[in-house]
Short mmCIF file of all heavy atoms in Angstrom, two decimals:
data_model
loop_
_atom_site.label_atom_id
_atom_site.label_comp_id
_atom_site.label_asym_id
_atom_site.label_seq_id
_atom_site.Cartn_x
_atom_site.Cartn_y
_atom_site.Cartn_z
N ALA L 70 -15.47 -14.99 -13.01
CA ALA L 70 -14.27 -15.88 -13.02
C ALA L 70 -14.23 -16.69 -14.29
O ALA L 70 -13.15 -16.87 -14.87
CB ALA L 70 -14.28 -16.82 -11.79
N GLY L 71 -15.38 -17.13 -14.78
CA GLY L 71 -15.45 -17.88 -16.02
C GLY L 71 -15.19 -17.03 -17.24
O GLY L 71 -14.65 -17.52 -18.25
N LEU L 72 -15.59 -15.75 -17.20
CA LEU L 72 -15.42 -14.87 -18.33
C LEU L 72 -13.96 -14.50 -18.54
O LEU L 72 -13.50 -14.30 -19.65
CB LEU L 72 -16.23 -13.59 -18.14
CG LEU L 72 -17.74 -13.70 -18.28
CD1 LEU L 72 -18.38 -12.36 -17.92
CD2 LEU L 72 -18.14 -14.11 -19.67
N GLY L 73 -13.22 -14.32 -17.44
CA GLY L 73 -11.83 -13.96 -17.54
C GLY L 73 -11.61 -12.51 -17.99
O GLY L 73 -10.59 -12.21 -18.58
N VAL L 74 -12.56 -11.63 -17.74
CA VAL L 74 -12.41 -10.21 -18.06
C VAL L 74 -12.59 -9.38 -16.80
O VAL L 74 -13.24 -9.83 -15.84
CB VAL L 74 -13.42 -9.72 -19.14
CG1 VAL L 74 -13.22 -10.43 -20.44
CG2 VAL L 74 -14.84 -9.84 -18.66
N SER L 75 -12.02 -8.19 -16.80
CA SER L 75 -12.17 -7.32 -15.65
C SER L 75 -13.55 -6.71 -15.60
O SER L 75 -14.28 -6.69 -16.63
CB SER L 75 -11.14 -6.21 -15.71
OG SER L 75 -11.44 -5.29 -16.74
N VAL L 76 -13.93 -6.24 -14.46
CA VAL L 76 -15.23 -5.56 -14.29
C VAL L 76 -15.31 -4.33 -15.18
O VAL L 76 -16.32 -4.10 -15.85
CB VAL L 76 -15.47 -5.20 -12.83
CG1 VAL L 76 -16.71 -4.34 -12.64
CG2 VAL L 76 -15.55 -6.46 -11.96
N ARG L 77 -14.23 -3.57 -15.24
CA ARG L 77 -14.24 -2.36 -16.08
C ARG L 77 -14.37 -2.69 -17.56
O ARG L 77 -15.09 -2.05 -18.27
CB ARG L 77 -12.93 -1.58 -15.84
CG ARG L 77 -12.91 -0.88 -14.52
CD ARG L 77 -11.74 0.13 -14.47
NE ARG L 77 -11.73 0.77 -13.21
CZ ARG L 77 -12.49 1.84 -12.87
NH1 ARG L 77 -13.33 2.29 -13.72
NH2 ARG L 77 -12.34 2.42 -11.68
N ARG L 78 -13.68 -3.70 -18.00
CA ARG L 78 -13.79 -4.06 -19.40
C ARG L 78 -15.19 -4.58 -19.75
O ARG L 78 -15.76 -4.22 -20.77
CB ARG L 78 -12.77 -5.17 -19.78
CG ARG L 78 -12.84 -5.51 -21.26
CD ARG L 78 -11.63 -6.30 -21.65
NE ARG L 78 -10.53 -5.38 -21.58
CZ ARG L 78 -9.39 -5.53 -22.27
NH1 ARG L 78 -9.23 -6.57 -23.03
NH2 ARG L 78 -8.42 -4.67 -22.12
N TYR L 79 -15.74 -5.42 -18.88
CA TYR L 79 -17.11 -5.91 -19.09
C TYR L 79 -18.10 -4.77 -19.12
O TYR L 79 -18.97 -4.68 -19.96
CB TYR L 79 -17.49 -6.94 -17.99
CG TYR L 79 -18.89 -7.45 -18.17
CD1 TYR L 79 -19.13 -8.51 -19.03
CD2 TYR L 79 -19.93 -6.89 -17.48
CE1 TYR L 79 -20.40 -9.00 -19.21
CE2 TYR L 79 -21.25 -7.38 -17.66
CZ TYR L 79 -21.45 -8.41 -18.52
OH TYR L 79 -22.74 -8.88 -18.71
N ALA L 80 -17.97 -3.83 -18.16
CA ALA L 80 -18.85 -2.69 -18.08
C ALA L 80 -18.77 -1.83 -19.34
O ALA L 80 -19.80 -1.37 -19.87
CB ALA L 80 -18.52 -1.85 -16.84
N ALA L 81 -17.59 -1.63 -19.84
CA ALA L 81 -17.39 -0.85 -21.04
C ALA L 81 -18.05 -1.51 -22.26
O ALA L 81 -18.71 -0.87 -23.08
CB ALA L 81 -15.91 -0.59 -21.31
N ARG L 82 -17.88 -2.82 -22.36
CA ARG L 82 -18.47 -3.56 -23.48
C ARG L 82 -19.98 -3.57 -23.43
O ARG L 82 -20.65 -3.61 -24.47
CB ARG L 82 -17.99 -5.01 -23.47
CG ARG L 82 -16.53 -5.14 -23.88
CD ARG L 82 -16.12 -6.60 -23.82
NE ARG L 82 -14.73 -6.75 -24.19
CZ ARG L 82 -14.06 -7.88 -24.08
NH1 ARG L 82 -14.67 -8.98 -23.69
NH2 ARG L 82 -12.80 -7.94 -24.46
N ARG L 83 -20.57 -3.55 -22.23
CA ARG L 83 -22.02 -3.64 -22.06
C ARG L 83 -22.66 -2.29 -21.75
O ARG L 83 -23.85 -2.24 -21.46
CB ARG L 83 -22.36 -4.62 -20.93
CG ARG L 83 -21.92 -6.02 -21.27
CD ARG L 83 -22.70 -6.56 -22.39
NE ARG L 83 -22.21 -7.89 -22.75
CZ ARG L 83 -22.28 -8.38 -23.96
NH1 ARG L 83 -22.86 -7.73 -24.91
NH2 ARG L 83 -21.81 -9.58 -24.22
N HIS L 84 -21.86 -1.22 -21.79
CA HIS L 84 -22.34 0.13 -21.50
C HIS L 84 -23.03 0.22 -20.15
O HIS L 84 -24.13 0.74 -20.02
CB HIS L 84 -23.31 0.62 -22.62
CG HIS L 84 -22.69 0.49 -23.98
ND1 HIS L 84 -21.70 1.34 -24.41
CD2 HIS L 84 -22.91 -0.37 -24.99
CE1 HIS L 84 -21.34 1.00 -25.64
NE2 HIS L 84 -22.08 -0.07 -26.00
N ARG L 85 -22.31 -0.30 -19.14
CA ARG L 85 -22.83 -0.28 -17.77
C ARG L 85 -21.81 0.45 -16.90
O ARG L 85 -20.65 0.60 -17.25
CB ARG L 85 -23.00 -1.71 -17.22
CG ARG L 85 -23.98 -2.56 -17.97
CD ARG L 85 -25.38 -2.10 -17.72
NE ARG L 85 -26.32 -2.96 -18.43
CZ ARG L 85 -27.30 -2.49 -19.17
NH1 ARG L 85 -27.46 -1.21 -19.34
NH2 ARG L 85 -28.13 -3.32 -19.76
N ASP L 86 -22.27 0.86 -15.72
CA ASP L 86 -21.40 1.59 -14.81
C ASP L 86 -20.54 0.54 -14.06
O ASP L 86 -21.07 -0.34 -13.37
CB ASP L 86 -22.27 2.35 -13.82
CG ASP L 86 -21.45 3.06 -12.75
OD1 ASP L 86 -20.45 3.72 -13.13
OD2 ASP L 86 -21.82 2.94 -11.56
N PRO L 87 -19.21 0.67 -14.14
CA PRO L 87 -18.34 -0.26 -13.44
C PRO L 87 -18.50 -0.21 -11.90
O PRO L 87 -18.37 -1.23 -11.24
CB PRO L 87 -16.95 0.10 -13.85
CG PRO L 87 -17.03 1.47 -14.45
CD PRO L 87 -18.44 1.64 -14.89
N GLY L 88 -18.83 0.96 -11.37
CA GLY L 88 -19.05 1.06 -9.95
C GLY L 88 -20.23 0.25 -9.46
O GLY L 88 -20.17 -0.40 -8.41
N SER L 89 -21.31 0.28 -10.22
CA SER L 89 -22.50 -0.50 -9.86
C SER L 89 -22.17 -2.01 -9.93
O SER L 89 -22.55 -2.74 -9.02
CB SER L 89 -23.66 -0.21 -10.81
OG SER L 89 -24.12 1.11 -10.61
N LEU L 90 -21.48 -2.41 -10.96
CA LEU L 90 -21.11 -3.85 -11.07
C LEU L 90 -20.23 -4.25 -9.91
O LEU L 90 -20.40 -5.35 -9.36
CB LEU L 90 -20.42 -4.13 -12.39
CG LEU L 90 -21.28 -4.03 -13.66
CD1 LEU L 90 -20.40 -4.22 -14.88
CD2 LEU L 90 -22.39 -5.05 -13.61
N SER L 91 -19.33 -3.41 -9.52
CA SER L 91 -18.45 -3.68 -8.42
C SER L 91 -19.24 -3.83 -7.14
O SER L 91 -18.98 -4.73 -6.32
CB SER L 91 -17.41 -2.58 -8.28
OG SER L 91 -16.56 -2.83 -7.20
#
Side-chain angles (χ1 to χ4, degrees):
L72 289 174
V74 297
S75 71
V76 173
R77 288 193 180 277
R78 182 167 292 203
Y79 180 83
R82 289 179 181 173
R83 297 294 176 207
H84 307 287
R85 301 287 183 230
D86 177 48
S89 292
L90 290 175
S91 180

